[in-house]
């Protein structure tokens, strides 16, 4: 913890002990502490299985040299689109497991339990989509190990479609990006486990992620890599990636896709501060909004901001639209379901959904606050005007941060101590898509029963 004068009172070690500092000779800060990283050889095994029949539950286990190395796992292959038009999947995001929080409030444990609760409530889920930031620092293998070890019993019963987050390329050295962690832990550039029909993306991707797509039934999923910013344009999406998206989505339409869902980590419309403040996201928003419109993408699934938000149906704005943002709200016909949640009928525009964290680091939904509060917690946004904030807020149907932190009065983020996590369940059947947002709450440290509560539902109907 820290006082306002930055004098460090104590810190948590990796063994869970709290150590108190005694500054020497009246110094305001203690001596510098080096953090060492132990390395050891690892073996990464990759398997590609082809010619699996669709709509089938498959069992597997790992063995080598006649020795069984794993328990039995299972997954289901994508259904034959000519036999069923239904797909069910879970979205989680930003587990962001940090090594330094392991013995304080273990993010890997909360992420694993959130996934467990999701699959208990929806046991027939086809797969899990994780929209990025699996760990805090991609170069620290211990964070991956802890996350996967705690989630293994759940992960061995399903398929994961991963999206690369910016923390996947972080290292312990400030300002230095560490590439390769995402690619070492996932094999999506070559094949997506689970038997989905995969379209290979940009094969050589040096920017810590993957660009790929797959079909599940009549739903096409395109996954972008928003770490792709090492090129001359200095945006988060290269021209090559944008061209790939155009060809990929148009080809999927020719194959008969009824729905196109885009997944990316850095959300371009969100109630968190990133989408308002970050220069790379502003550039992507300018480039991608019109393309999403042109490609008639139905839903965009996002992460990164550690808040929940959902936009209205958005299209690229007209030249005479006075809005400060590149999108405008369309007004589709709608009704209400039995629980008074909106049902959109034939919307002309995409709905952007940002999933809240499945870990313990929660951010404030700053776009819901006052302009004064926004400038206080994010000084870089002090230049925003009331009109700009109001026009941005108008783009959203809803948004919230279920976690309540006293720190939100002065900071945009909490103490990494949230015991409220989130997942979203999607069901697409024919020409109807339903998304249900759930909050899982309760302290694992106190062995409290975890409560699962739905906080939002939205329905999109195609004509």
């Amino acid at each position: 913890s820290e006082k306002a004068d930055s004098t460090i009172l104590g810190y948590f070690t990796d063994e869970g002990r709290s150590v108190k500092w005694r500054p020497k000779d009246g110094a305001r800060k203690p001596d510098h502490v080096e953090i060492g990283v132990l390395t050891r050889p690892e073996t990464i095994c990759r398997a590609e299985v082809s010619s699996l029949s669709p709509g089938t539950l498959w069992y597997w286990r790992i063995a080598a040299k006649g020795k069984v190395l794993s328990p039995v796992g299972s997954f289901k292959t994508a259904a034959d689109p000519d036999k069923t038009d239904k797909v069910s999947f879970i979205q989680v995001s930003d587990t962001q497991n940090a090594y330094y929080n392991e013995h304080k409030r273990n993010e890997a444990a909360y992420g694993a339990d959130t996934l467990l609760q999701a699959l208990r409530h929806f046991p027939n889920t086809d797969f899990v989509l994780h929209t990025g930031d699996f760990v805090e620092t991609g170069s620290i293998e211990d964070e991956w190990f802890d996350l996967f070890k705690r989630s293994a019993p759940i992960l061995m019963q399903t398929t994961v479609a991963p999206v690369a987050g910016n923390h996947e390329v972080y290292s312990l050295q400030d300002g230095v990006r560490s590439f390769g962690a995402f690619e070492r832990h996932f094999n999506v550039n070559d094949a997506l486990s689970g038997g989905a029909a995969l379209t290979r993306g940009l094969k050589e991707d040096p920017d810590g992620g993957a660009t790929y797509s797959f079909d599940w039934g009549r739903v096409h999923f395109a996954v972008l890599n928003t770490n792709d910013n090492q090129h001359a344009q200095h945006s988060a999406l290269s021209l090559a990636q944008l061209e790939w998206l155009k060809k990929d989505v148009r080809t999927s339409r020719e194959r008969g896709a009824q729905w196109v869902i885009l997944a990316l980590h850095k959300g371009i419309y969100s109630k968190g501060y990133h989408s308002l403040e970050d220069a790379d996201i502003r550039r992507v928003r300018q480039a991608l909004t019109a393309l999403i419109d042109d490609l008639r993408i139905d839903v965009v699934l996002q992460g990164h901001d550690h808040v929940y938000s959902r936009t209205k149906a958005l299209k690229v704005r007209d030249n005479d639209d006075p809005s400060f943002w590149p999108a405008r709200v369309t007004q589709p016909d709608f009704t209400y379901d039995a629980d008074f949640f909106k049902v959109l009928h034939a919307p002309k525009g995409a709905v952007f959904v940002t999933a809240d964290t499945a870990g313990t680091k929660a951010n404030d939904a700053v776009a819901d606050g006052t302009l004064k509060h926004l400038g206080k917690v994010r000084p870089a946004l002090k230049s925003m005007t009331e009109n700009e904030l109001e026009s941005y807020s108008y783009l959203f149907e809803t948004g919230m941060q279920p976690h309540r932190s006293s720190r939100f009065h002065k900071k945009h983020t909490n103490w990494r101590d949230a015991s409220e996590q989130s997942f979203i369940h999607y069901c697409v059947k024919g020409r109807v898509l339903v998304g249900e947002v759930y909050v899982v709450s309760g302290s694992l440290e106190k062995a409290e029963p975890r409560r699962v509560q739905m906080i939002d539902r939205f329905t999109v109907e195609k004509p």
Side-chain angles (χ1 to χ4, degrees):
S1 59
E2 297 185 23
K3 286 184 177 179
D5 63 1
S6 298
T7 300
I8 298 177
L9 301 177
Y11 69 98
F12 283 90
T13 72
D14 196 45
E15 295 178 352
R17 295 181 293 112
S18 180
V19 179
K20 291 189 178 299
W21 286 106
R22 294 187 180 276
K24 298 178 181 179
D25 303 323
R28 292 175 63 89
K29 292 185 180 181
D31 295 336
H32 180 67
V33 178
E34 292 287 347
I35 299 176
V37 178
L38 300 177
T39 60
R40 62 182 180 183
E42 282 189 323
T43 301
I44 297 176
C45 301
R46 299 175 186 268
E48 293 186 19
V49 184
S50 59
S51 303
L52 297 180
S53 55
T56 305
L57 181 64
W58 295 87
Y59 294 91
W60 60 272
R61 66 181 180 182
I62 299 173
K65 298 180 180 180
K67 186 177 181 180
V68 175
L69 302 177
S70 78
V72 175
S74 64
F75 64 88
K76 65 174 75 171
T77 46
D80 185 337
D82 293 329
K83 294 182 178 180
T84 181
D85 57 359
K86 183 178 180 180
V87 58
S88 168
F89 67 99
I90 297 289
Q91 180 190 6
V92 293
S93 196
D94 296 270
T95 40
Q96 209 164 317
N97 180 42
Y99 72 93
Y100 52 79
N101 228 32
E102 183 175 349
H103 297 288
K104 183 181 179 184
R105 176 150 285 186
N106 190 290
E107 285 151 315
Y110 277 91
D113 187 76
T114 302
L115 198 55
L116 175 64
Q117 300 296 338
L119 295 183
R120 278 178 176 172
H121 276 70
F122 299 99
N124 295 320
T125 295
D126 293 311
F127 65 93
V128 173
L129 175 72
H130 192 305
T131 41
D133 279 0
F134 288 80
V135 296
E136 172 74 9
T137 309
S139 65
I140 300 180
E141 185 61 25
D142 179 64
E143 294 181 352
W144 294 95
F145 181 81
D146 191 27
L147 182 71
F148 287 148
K149 182 178 180 181
R150 290 178 181 270
S151 299
I154 309 106
L155 296 179
M156 291 185 69
Q157 302 171 38
T158 189
T159 299
V160 175
V163 180
N166 54 296
H167 278 263
E168 269 71 88
V169 299
Y170 282 10
S171 72
L172 280 175
Q173 189 174 352
D174 287 344
V176 176
R177 288 156 60 95
S178 178
F179 300 113
F182 181 86
E183 296 89 325
R184 286 194 298 272
H185 292 92
F186 301 106
N187 199 25
V188 288
N189 267 345
D190 293 319
L192 177 65
S193 62
L198 181 103
T199 302
R200 296 189 179 189
L202 300 175
K203 182 65 177 176
E204 299 300 327
D205 190 345
D207 294 322
T211 303
Y212 66 98
S213 65
F214 61 97
D215 295 322
W216 206 289
R218 296 200 179 278
V219 183
H220 182 71
F221 295 85
V223 178
L224 296 182
N225 172 23
T226 52
N227 293 327
D228 179 19
N229 57 5
Q230 296 299 293
H231 43 80
Q233 292 83 20
H234 296 294
S235 63
L237 293 176
S238 66
L239 294 178
Q241 192 171 176
L242 294 174
E243 287 300 317
W244 172 86
L245 180 64
K246 292 178 188 177
K247 181 178 179 181
D248 174 77
V249 172
R250 287 167 180 163
T251 301
S252 76
R253 297 285 191 193
E254 293 171 1
R255 290 198 304 268
Q258 289 182 342
W259 295 84
V260 176
I261 295 177
L262 181 64
L264 67 163
H265 176 63
K266 293 182 180 179
I268 59 176
Y269 293 105
S270 167
K271 287 213 169 186
Y273 77 96
H274 280 300
S275 61
L276 284 171
E277 181 177 325
D278 294 0
D280 62 338
I281 294 178
R282 290 200 302 269
R283 287 191 288 266
V284 168
R285 184 162 51 231
Q286 291 291 337
L288 203 53
T289 300
L291 185 55
I292 289 171
D293 194 6
D294 182 55
L295 295 174
R296 295 180 291 115
I297 289 171
D298 299 292
V299 181
V300 181
L301 305 184
Q302 312 172 129
H304 194 46
D305 261 314
H306 297 235
V307 300
Y308 168 63
S309 64
R310 172 170 57 86
T311 70
K312 301 167 184 174
L314 304 182
K315 285 179 69 72
V316 67
R317 77 172 185 224
D318 300 325
N319 290 333
D320 57 353
D321 191 321
S323 169
F324 294 95
W325 312 100
R328 64 178 175 86
V329 173
T330 65
Q331 300 290 353
D333 292 334
F334 67 88
T335 56
Y336 291 97
D337 64 17
D339 296 314
F340 298 100
F341 292 107
K342 270 188 179 181
V343 179
L344 302 182
H345 302 287
K348 294 180 172 61
V351 175
F352 295 74
V353 182
T354 301
D356 199 0
T357 176
T360 68
K361 180 186 176 185
N363 289 343
D364 189 12
V366 294
D368 260 353
T370 65
L371 190 64
K372 180 179 179 180
H373 176 72
L374 182 64
K376 180 179 180 180
V377 297
R378 299 305 304 177
L381 296 172
K382 280 186 175 181
S383 61
M384 281 192 69
T385 67
E386 289 282 2
N387 285 342
E388 288 174 323
L389 182 58
E390 182 179 343
S391 68
Y392 186 74
S393 298
Y394 178 69
L395 301 178
F396 293 87
E397 190 72 60
T398 187
M400 65 193 74
Q401 175 49 261
H403 174 66
R404 297 291 180 260
S405 174
S406 60
R407 203 175 190 220
F408 288 161
H409 296 302
K410 297 181 179 180
K411 300 288 184 181
H412 73 272
T413 189
N414 69 336
W415 294 103
R416 283 191 106 107
D417 59 352
S419 57
E420 298 85 9
Q421 286 71 44
S422 182
F423 70 86
I424 306 177
H425 174 256
Y426 299 88
C427 181
V428 184
K429 183 172 176 56
R431 296 191 172 275
V432 179
L433 178 149
V434 180
E436 294 182 333
V437 184
Y438 290 84
V439 172
V440 184
S441 58
S443 171
L444 294 176
E445 291 81 15
K446 297 179 181 178
E448 295 176 351
R450 299 273 277 164
R451 187 170 66 124
V452 180
Q453 179 183 13
M454 188 183 75
I455 61 170
D456 188 29
R457 177 194 294 139
F458 62 98
T459 302
V460 179
E461 291 185 353
K462 284 179 172 289

